[in-house]
Amino acid sequence: MTPKSIHKIATKMDVAWDGDKNFMSWCQTIVGKEHLDDMSEVELIMIYNRLKNGKFPELLIKNG
């Protein structure tokens, strides 16, 4: 699992992630880190699974 994997699923789910303060805040809540590059593989998997399963706040959806 890599940050690129998160970027891909987030884009597919229409979630704003690139420099998005809400996305970074959500990540901070989940794993205690704002930036994907700072996360371990386990932490990235946690973020990925939540995105994949639609378990993220609506405010992360682009143009939402």
Side-chain angles (χ1 to χ4, degrees), residues 6-60:
I6 305 299
H7 299 164
K8 188 174 179 179
I9 189 78
T11 299
K12 182 178 179 182
M13 301 298 289
D14 206 28
V15 168
W17 58 267
D18 191 16
D20 187 84
K21 295 291 181 193
N22 291 323
F23 182 80
M24 290 189 282
S25 177
W26 177 68
C27 288
Q28 176 76 33
T29 301
I30 304 300
V31 300
K33 297 175 185 170
E34 289 186 341
H35 300 282
L36 299 174
D37 290 334
D38 296 335
M39 295 181 196
S40 69
E41 187 169 7
V42 170
E43 292 164 336
L44 290 170
I45 290 169
M46 290 170 68
I47 298 296
Y48 183 92
N49 285 337
R50 280 175 174 77
L51 287 168
K52 183 177 138 190
N53 294 319
K55 296 183 178 182
F56 52 86
E58 254 185 66
L59 60 89
L60 297 183

